[in-house]
Amino acid sequence: MNNGEIKEIALKQSAEDIGCQAHDFLSDKNVIVPFCLGKNARKYYKEPIICNFVSYGSNIVVATTKDVSDLVKEYIGKFEFYHCFETPNMHWLNDRLLERGHKVCFMAEYYLPDVNKIPDAECLYETHILVQEDFKNLYLPEWSNALCKDRSHLDMLGIGAYDNGRLIGFAACSADCDEMWQIGIDVLPEYRQKGIASALTSKLAKEILNRGKVPFYCSAWSNIRSARNAAKSGFIPAWVEMTVKPADVVDEMNS
């Protein structure tokens, strides 16, 4: 699988996630479509979703419900598309959304692998490939980025690093969509800054590609440690998203 094929798969998945066409993300003009969560959308997307802003770097595509479509149109026409994902401009949108009972909720940056840059990184510790049946005793707080107990049936594959038989680092992937598996990584605090995270992430990325799936990675913009790991593991920024949800849903998350 080459980089072009990987991007094409990602574009099609993003289109399925919000209800647009894959080529919409490549236009030099902004696009607004009615929000429609496809039947093959990423498994962790949960309605209600009022609107979702997505950019692959050429424009902004927004899938929106009717009740805020006028705000969305005004917002993306008022500011450069890349400024729509940041403050202070985002406050313009959020203030107006609040009047209608909604708030900006999730913001994230997504990464895809550059198949020519995934390193053959050696881990300082012994590593082993793990499969679903090996995960049953690993749904613990220390591995909460690698595994998700609520969606355990989607956790497909992992690579663990061991120090004298003790699991000290763990990368795993979730089959969040049919052709793309998302990587999460955890390393115990006392073992960080030793290249374990990037070694496990890059090894897992290759294992995923060998199985004919596209590995992808997600981080908050402020999570520098995670972003550095993505870069060291051969992943490059591919797209960004900003999701709007009802205010009571956001407030519940903060309670």
Side-chain angles (χ1 to χ4, degrees):
M1 195 179 303
N2 60 42
N3 289 337
E5 291 168 332
I6 286 172
K7 184 175 181 179
E8 184 178 347
I9 289 171
L11 290 168
K12 289 179 179 178
Q13 183 60 52
S14 290
E16 178 72 11
D17 293 338
I18 65 173
C20 68
Q21 299 297 315
H23 60 77
D24 288 338
F25 300 109
L26 304 179
S27 173
D28 60 357
K29 299 184 184 303
N30 295 329
V31 177
I32 300 176
V33 298
F35 178 77
C36 179
L37 191 65
K39 65 178 182 179
N40 294 317
R42 273 173 278 170
K43 305 296 192 299
Y44 54 84
Y45 276 14
K46 290 184 179 179
E47 296 187 280
I49 296 173
I50 304 305
C51 55
N52 201 10
F53 296 72
V54 183
S55 179
Y56 273 77
S58 298
N59 69 346
I60 185 167
V61 178
V62 192
T64 180
T65 54
K66 288 182 179 180
D67 60 328
V68 296
S69 60
D70 59 327
L71 289 181
V72 166
K73 183 178 181 180
E74 186 177 357
Y75 183 56
I76 66 174
K78 187 177 182 67
F79 304 109
E80 287 287 345
F81 72 88
Y82 46 85
H83 288 313
C84 289
F85 294 88
E86 62 183 13
T87 55
N89 299 343
M90 190 181 67
H91 290 303
W92 185 98
L93 176 66
N94 200 61
D95 289 346
R96 286 156 180 79
L97 287 169
L98 272 172
E99 296 173 356
R100 303 188 189 185
H102 310 304
K103 289 182 179 180
V104 173
C105 186
F106 300 118
M107 299 175 69
E109 184 169 15
Y110 289 86
Y111 304 78
L112 291 173
D114 182 334
V115 295
N116 302 310
K117 294 183 178 180
I118 303 175
D120 293 316
E122 291 299 323
C123 186
L124 295 174
Y125 298 89
E126 182 180 6
T127 63
H128 296 288
I129 295 176
L130 305 177
V131 294
Q132 274 188 329
E133 62 190 37
D134 302 315
F135 298 159
K136 58 183 179 181
N137 295 321
L138 297 180
Y139 288 95
L140 304 169
E142 56 264 46
W143 312 123
S144 60
N145 287 315
L147 298 175
C148 179
K149 188 174 183 179
D150 292 339
R151 301 192 303 272
S152 60
H153 62 289
L154 299 177
D155 293 328
M156 305 302 294
L157 185 69
I159 298 182
Y162 297 82
D163 184 6
N164 292 318
R166 179 193 180 199
L167 183 64
I168 53 92
F170 183 38
C173 59
S174 175
D176 291 330
C177 30
D178 291 345
E179 296 187 77
M180 300 178 69
W181 291 1
Q182 181 171 196
I183 294 177
I185 175 72
D186 289 293
V187 177
L188 296 182
E190 63 268 32
Y191 289 90
R192 292 171 185 166
Q193 305 288 325
K194 296 183 178 182
I196 297 170
S198 58
L200 296 180
T201 302
S202 55
K203 287 177 183 293
L204 182 57
K206 290 184 176 182
E207 291 292 336
I208 294 170
L209 286 166
N210 287 341
R211 287 161 173 77
K213 304 295 183 181
V214 172
F216 72 106
Y217 189 100
C218 176
S219 75
W221 287 300
S222 57
N223 193 339
I224 300 301
R225 183 169 63 197
S226 183
R228 285 175 177 164
N229 179 57
K232 288 178 66 178
S233 305
F235 285 77
I236 59 174
W239 79 96
V240 293
E241 296 190 18
M242 182 172 72
T243 306
V244 172
K245 283 181 170 287
D248 59 346
V249 173
V250 179
D251 291 343
E252 184 178 353
M253 293 178 184
N254 288 325
S255 64

PDB file of all heavy atoms in Angstrom, residues 72-92:
ATOM      1  N   VAL A  72     -22.916  28.341  10.492  1.00  0.00           N
ATOM      2  CA  VAL A  72     -21.776  27.677   9.856  1.00  0.00           C
ATOM      3  C   VAL A  72     -21.385  28.401   8.577  1.00  0.00           C
ATOM      4  O   VAL A  72     -20.193  28.671   8.336  1.00  0.00           O
ATOM      5  CB  VAL A  72     -22.117  26.194   9.566  1.00  0.00           C
ATOM      6  CG1 VAL A  72     -21.098  25.588   8.603  1.00  0.00           C
ATOM      7  CG2 VAL A  72     -22.164  25.393  10.856  1.00  0.00           C
ATOM      8  N   LYS A  73     -22.363  28.718   7.774  1.00  0.00           N
ATOM      9  CA  LYS A  73     -22.084  29.403   6.512  1.00  0.00           C
ATOM     10  C   LYS A  73     -21.418  30.753   6.757  1.00  0.00           C
ATOM     11  O   LYS A  73     -20.437  31.116   6.086  1.00  0.00           O
ATOM     12  CB  LYS A  73     -23.368  29.586   5.717  1.00  0.00           C
ATOM     13  CG  LYS A  73     -23.160  30.233   4.355  1.00  0.00           C
ATOM     14  CD  LYS A  73     -24.479  30.337   3.589  1.00  0.00           C
ATOM     15  CE  LYS A  73     -24.257  30.971   2.225  1.00  0.00           C
ATOM     16  NZ  LYS A  73     -25.549  31.078   1.467  1.00  0.00           N
ATOM     17  N   GLU A  74     -21.927  31.487   7.738  1.00  0.00           N
ATOM     18  CA  GLU A  74     -21.344  32.794   8.034  1.00  0.00           C
ATOM     19  C   GLU A  74     -19.934  32.645   8.589  1.00  0.00           C
ATOM     20  O   GLU A  74     -19.031  33.420   8.230  1.00  0.00           O
ATOM     21  CB  GLU A  74     -22.220  33.538   9.039  1.00  0.00           C
ATOM     22  CG  GLU A  74     -21.763  34.970   9.297  1.00  0.00           C
ATOM     23  CD  GLU A  74     -22.689  35.734  10.245  1.00  0.00           C
ATOM     24  OE1 GLU A  74     -23.723  35.161  10.661  1.00  0.00           O
ATOM     25  OE2 GLU A  74     -22.364  36.896  10.553  1.00  0.00           O
ATOM     26  N   TYR A  75     -19.741  31.665   9.442  1.00  0.00           N
ATOM     27  CA  TYR A  75     -18.436  31.459  10.097  1.00  0.00           C
ATOM     28  C   TYR A  75     -17.340  31.129   9.094  1.00  0.00           C
ATOM     29  O   TYR A  75     -16.271  31.760   9.084  1.00  0.00           O
ATOM     30  CB  TYR A  75     -18.569  30.338  11.123  1.00  0.00           C
ATOM     31  CG  TYR A  75     -17.312  30.064  11.929  1.00  0.00           C
ATOM     32  CD1 TYR A  75     -16.702  31.075  12.653  1.00  0.00           C
ATOM     33  CD2 TYR A  75     -16.767  28.784  11.989  1.00  0.00           C
ATOM     34  CE1 TYR A  75     -15.568  30.826  13.422  1.00  0.00           C
ATOM     35  CE2 TYR A  75     -15.643  28.522  12.754  1.00  0.00           C
ATOM     36  CZ  TYR A  75     -15.043  29.543  13.465  1.00  0.00           C
ATOM     37  OH  TYR A  75     -13.919  29.291  14.218  1.00  0.00           O
ATOM     38  N   ILE A  76     -17.576  30.149   8.228  1.00  0.00           N
ATOM     39  CA  ILE A  76     -16.511  29.750   7.307  1.00  0.00           C
ATOM     40  C   ILE A  76     -16.326  30.759   6.175  1.00  0.00           C
ATOM     41  O   ILE A  76     -15.306  30.734   5.476  1.00  0.00           O
ATOM     42  CB  ILE A  76     -16.740  28.330   6.748  1.00  0.00           C
ATOM     43  CG1 ILE A  76     -17.972  28.268   5.851  1.00  0.00           C
ATOM     44  CG2 ILE A  76     -16.824  27.323   7.886  1.00  0.00           C
ATOM     45  CD1 ILE A  76     -18.151  26.921   5.160  1.00  0.00           C
ATOM     46  N   GLY A  77     -17.303  31.647   6.018  1.00  0.00           N
ATOM     47  CA  GLY A  77     -17.137  32.727   5.053  1.00  0.00           C
ATOM     48  C   GLY A  77     -16.423  33.930   5.640  1.00  0.00           C
ATOM     49  O   GLY A  77     -15.885  34.767   4.908  1.00  0.00           O
ATOM     50  N   LYS A  78     -16.404  34.015   6.951  1.00  0.00           N
ATOM     51  CA  LYS A  78     -15.852  35.171   7.651  1.00  0.00           C
ATOM     52  C   LYS A  78     -14.348  35.054   7.887  1.00  0.00           C
ATOM     53  O   LYS A  78     -13.618  36.042   7.868  1.00  0.00           O
ATOM     54  CB  LYS A  78     -16.576  35.335   9.001  1.00  0.00           C
ATOM     55  CG  LYS A  78     -16.230  36.589   9.782  1.00  0.00           C
ATOM     56  CD  LYS A  78     -17.074  36.655  11.036  1.00  0.00           C
ATOM     57  CE  LYS A  78     -16.798  37.920  11.845  1.00  0.00           C
ATOM     58  NZ  LYS A  78     -17.230  39.136  11.136  1.00  0.00           N
ATOM     59  N   PHE A  79     -13.861  33.809   8.112  1.00  0.00           N
ATOM     60  CA  PHE A  79     -12.461  33.590   8.479  1.00  0.00           C
ATOM     61  C   PHE A  79     -11.794  32.613   7.518  1.00  0.00           C
ATOM     62  O   PHE A  79     -12.466  31.775   6.901  1.00  0.00           O
ATOM     63  CB  PHE A  79     -12.359  33.027   9.905  1.00  0.00           C
ATOM     64  CG  PHE A  79     -13.019  33.888  10.952  1.00  0.00           C
ATOM     65  CD1 PHE A  79     -14.193  33.483  11.556  1.00  0.00           C
ATOM     66  CD2 PHE A  79     -12.464  35.104  11.327  1.00  0.00           C
ATOM     67  CE1 PHE A  79     -14.800  34.264  12.531  1.00  0.00           C
ATOM     68  CE2 PHE A  79     -13.068  35.895  12.298  1.00  0.00           C
ATOM     69  CZ  PHE A  79     -14.235  35.480  12.896  1.00  0.00           C
ATOM     70  N   GLU A  80     -10.456  32.706   7.415  1.00  0.00           N
ATOM     71  CA  GLU A  80      -9.700  31.711   6.653  1.00  0.00           C
ATOM     72  C   GLU A  80      -9.981  30.327   7.242  1.00  0.00           C
ATOM     73  O   GLU A  80     -10.107  30.172   8.461  1.00  0.00           O
ATOM     74  CB  GLU A  80      -8.201  32.005   6.727  1.00  0.00           C
ATOM     75  CG  GLU A  80      -7.752  33.195   5.904  1.00  0.00           C
ATOM     76  CD  GLU A  80      -7.752  32.898   4.414  1.00  0.00           C
ATOM     77  OE1 GLU A  80      -7.822  31.704   4.046  1.00  0.00           O
ATOM     78  OE2 GLU A  80      -7.682  33.859   3.629  1.00  0.00           O
ATOM     79  N   PHE A  81     -10.054  29.324   6.370  1.00  0.00           N
ATOM     80  CA  PHE A  81     -10.510  28.015   6.832  1.00  0.00           C
ATOM     81  C   PHE A  81      -9.652  27.457   7.956  1.00  0.00           C
ATOM     82  O   PHE A  81     -10.161  26.842   8.893  1.00  0.00           O
ATOM     83  CB  PHE A  81     -10.590  27.017   5.659  1.00  0.00           C
ATOM     84  CG  PHE A  81      -9.273  26.538   5.126  1.00  0.00           C
ATOM     85  CD1 PHE A  81      -8.637  25.443   5.670  1.00  0.00           C
ATOM     86  CD2 PHE A  81      -8.661  27.191   4.056  1.00  0.00           C
ATOM     87  CE1 PHE A  81      -7.427  24.978   5.171  1.00  0.00           C
ATOM     88  CE2 PHE A  81      -7.454  26.743   3.551  1.00  0.00           C
ATOM     89  CZ  PHE A  81      -6.831  25.641   4.109  1.00  0.00           C
ATOM     90  N   TYR A  82      -8.347  27.695   7.906  1.00  0.00           N
ATOM     91  CA  TYR A  82      -7.485  27.137   8.953  1.00  0.00           C
ATOM     92  C   TYR A  82      -7.617  27.893  10.268  1.00  0.00           C
ATOM     93  O   TYR A  82      -7.289  27.356  11.331  1.00  0.00           O
ATOM     94  CB  TYR A  82      -6.025  27.070   8.498  1.00  0.00           C
ATOM     95  CG  TYR A  82      -5.484  28.311   7.828  1.00  0.00           C
ATOM     96  CD1 TYR A  82      -4.965  29.352   8.573  1.00  0.00           C
ATOM     97  CD2 TYR A  82      -5.498  28.432   6.446  1.00  0.00           C
ATOM     98  CE1 TYR A  82      -4.465  30.491   7.958  1.00  0.00           C
ATOM     99  CE2 TYR A  82      -5.009  29.573   5.813  1.00  0.00           C
ATOM    100  CZ  TYR A  82      -4.489  30.596   6.586  1.00  0.00           C
ATOM    101  OH  TYR A  82      -4.008  31.729   5.966  1.00  0.00           O
ATOM    102  N   HIS A  83      -8.111  29.136  10.226  1.00  0.00           N
ATOM    103  CA  HIS A  83      -8.356  29.871  11.462  1.00  0.00           C
ATOM    104  C   HIS A  83      -9.673  29.462  12.120  1.00  0.00           C
ATOM    105  O   HIS A  83      -9.915  29.797  13.288  1.00  0.00           O
ATOM    106  CB  HIS A  83      -8.369  31.374  11.196  1.00  0.00           C
ATOM    107  CG  HIS A  83      -7.031  31.960  10.903  1.00  0.00           C
ATOM    108  ND1 HIS A  83      -5.914  31.682  11.661  1.00  0.00           N
ATOM    109  CD2 HIS A  83      -6.613  32.812   9.918  1.00  0.00           C
ATOM    110  CE1 HIS A  83      -4.869  32.334  11.176  1.00  0.00           C
ATOM    111  NE2 HIS A  83      -5.264  33.018  10.100  1.00  0.00           N
ATOM    112  N   CYS A  84     -10.497  28.737  11.396  1.00  0.00           N
ATOM    113  CA  CYS A  84     -11.775  28.298  11.966  1.00  0.00           C
ATOM    114  C   CYS A  84     -11.584  27.248  13.060  1.00  0.00           C
ATOM    115  O   CYS A  84     -12.524  26.940  13.800  1.00  0.00           O
ATOM    116  CB  CYS A  84     -12.679  27.737  10.866  1.00  0.00           C
ATOM    117  SG  CYS A  84     -13.321  28.995   9.734  1.00  0.00           S
ATOM    118  N   PHE A  85     -10.382  26.687  13.153  1.00  0.00           N
ATOM    119  CA  PHE A  85     -10.106  25.648  14.140  1.00  0.00           C
ATOM    120  C   PHE A  85      -9.346  26.187  15.348  1.00  0.00           C
ATOM    121  O   PHE A  85      -8.788  25.399  16.117  1.00  0.00           O
ATOM    122  CB  PHE A  85      -9.287  24.526  13.496  1.00  0.00           C
ATOM    123  CG  PHE A  85     -10.024  23.772  12.431  1.00  0.00           C
ATOM    124  CD1 PHE A  85      -9.999  24.193  11.118  1.00  0.00           C
ATOM    125  CD2 PHE A  85     -10.753  22.633  12.738  1.00  0.00           C
ATOM    126  CE1 PHE A  85     -10.670  23.502  10.121  1.00  0.00           C
ATOM    127  CE2 PHE A  85     -11.432  21.926  11.755  1.00  0.00           C
ATOM    128  CZ  PHE A  85     -11.393  22.365  10.437  1.00  0.00           C
ATOM    129  N   GLU A  86      -9.274  27.507  15.508  1.00  0.00           N
ATOM    130  CA  GLU A  86      -8.477  28.046  16.588  1.00  0.00           C
ATOM    131  C   GLU A  86      -9.117  29.301  17.165  1.00  0.00           C
ATOM    132  O   GLU A  86      -9.975  29.938  16.558  1.00  0.00           O
ATOM    133  CB  GLU A  86      -7.057  28.362  16.103  1.00  0.00           C
ATOM    134  CG  GLU A  86      -7.006  29.422  15.004  1.00  0.00           C
ATOM    135  CD  GLU A  86      -5.617  29.670  14.474  1.00  0.00           C
ATOM    136  OE1 GLU A  86      -4.709  28.882  14.762  1.00  0.00           O
ATOM    137  OE2 GLU A  86      -5.440  30.676  13.774  1.00  0.00           O
ATOM    138  N   THR A  87      -8.686  29.608  18.371  1.00  0.00           N
ATOM    139  CA  THR A  87      -9.068  30.873  18.979  1.00  0.00           C
ATOM    140  C   THR A  87      -8.175  31.970  18.401  1.00  0.00           C
ATOM    141  O   THR A  87      -7.069  31.675  17.940  1.00  0.00           O
ATOM    142  CB  THR A  87      -8.866  30.812  20.503  1.00  0.00           C
ATOM    143  OG1 THR A  87      -7.516  30.443  20.773  1.00  0.00           O
ATOM    144  CG2 THR A  87      -9.800  29.804  21.124  1.00  0.00           C
ATOM    145  N   PRO A  88      -8.643  33.219  18.362  1.00  0.00           N
ATOM    146  CA  PRO A  88      -9.890  33.723  18.948  1.00  0.00           C
ATOM    147  C   PRO A  88     -11.125  33.513  18.078  1.00  0.00           C
ATOM    148  O   PRO A  88     -12.248  33.723  18.551  1.00  0.00           O
ATOM    149  CB  PRO A  88      -9.599  35.219  19.105  1.00  0.00           C
ATOM    150  CG  PRO A  88      -8.707  35.529  17.958  1.00  0.00           C
ATOM    151  CD  PRO A  88      -7.817  34.311  17.812  1.00  0.00           C
ATOM    152  N   ASN A  89     -10.937  33.123  16.806  1.00  0.00           N
ATOM    153  CA  ASN A  89     -12.091  33.041  15.908  1.00  0.00           C
ATOM    154  C   ASN A  89     -13.130  32.031  16.380  1.00  0.00           C
ATOM    155  O   ASN A  89     -14.338  32.240  16.207  1.00  0.00           O
ATOM    156  CB  ASN A  89     -11.628  32.674  14.496  1.00  0.00           C
ATOM    157  CG  ASN A  89     -10.688  33.715  13.910  1.00  0.00           C
ATOM    158  OD1 ASN A  89     -10.628  34.838  14.397  1.00  0.00           O
ATOM    159  ND2 ASN A  89      -9.957  33.351  12.885  1.00  0.00           N
ATOM    160  N   MET A  90     -12.661  30.952  16.969  1.00  0.00           N
ATOM    161  CA  MET A  90     -13.591  29.921  17.431  1.00  0.00           C
ATOM    162  C   MET A  90     -14.581  30.469  18.455  1.00  0.00           C
ATOM    163  O   MET A  90     -15.723  30.000  18.540  1.00  0.00           O
ATOM    164  CB  MET A  90     -12.813  28.751  18.017  1.00  0.00           C
ATOM    165  CG  MET A  90     -13.640  27.520  18.315  1.00  0.00           C
ATOM    166  SD  MET A  90     -12.626  26.219  19.018  1.00  0.00           S
ATOM    167  CE  MET A  90     -12.200  26.952  20.602  1.00  0.00           C
ATOM    168  N   HIS A  91     -14.164  31.492  19.224  1.00  0.00           N
ATOM    169  CA  HIS A  91     -15.080  32.083  20.206  1.00  0.00           C
ATOM    170  C   HIS A  91     -16.272  32.748  19.517  1.00  0.00           C
ATOM    171  O   HIS A  91     -17.377  32.767  20.061  1.00  0.00           O
ATOM    172  CB  HIS A  91     -14.339  33.112  21.071  1.00  0.00           C
ATOM    173  CG  HIS A  91     -13.350  32.504  22.006  1.00  0.00           C
ATOM    174  ND1 HIS A  91     -13.699  31.552  22.939  1.00  0.00           N
ATOM    175  CD2 HIS A  91     -12.020  32.705  22.165  1.00  0.00           C
ATOM    176  CE1 HIS A  91     -12.636  31.191  23.638  1.00  0.00           C
ATOM    177  NE2 HIS A  91     -11.601  31.877  23.180  1.00  0.00           N
ATOM    178  N   TRP A  92     -16.039  33.279  18.333  1.00  0.00           N
ATOM    179  CA  TRP A  92     -17.146  33.884  17.575  1.00  0.00           C
ATOM    180  C   TRP A  92     -18.240  32.846  17.345  1.00  0.00           C
ATOM    181  O   TRP A  92     -19.426  33.107  17.546  1.00  0.00           O
ATOM    182  CB  TRP A  92     -16.616  34.401  16.231  1.00  0.00           C
ATOM    183  CG  TRP A  92     -17.612  35.137  15.395  1.00  0.00           C
ATOM    184  CD1 TRP A  92     -17.775  36.481  15.289  1.00  0.00           C
ATOM    185  CD2 TRP A  92     -18.609  34.548  14.531  1.00  0.00           C
ATOM    186  NE1 TRP A  92     -18.807  36.792  14.427  1.00  0.00           N
ATOM    187  CE2 TRP A  92     -19.337  35.624  13.953  1.00  0.00           C
ATOM    188  CE3 TRP A  92     -18.963  33.249  14.190  1.00  0.00           C
ATOM    189  CZ2 TRP A  92     -20.387  35.411  13.047  1.00  0.00           C
ATOM    190  CZ3 TRP A  92     -20.017  33.041  13.311  1.00  0.00           C
ATOM    191  CH2 TRP A  92     -20.717  34.120  12.742  1.00  0.00           C
TER     192      TRP A  92
END
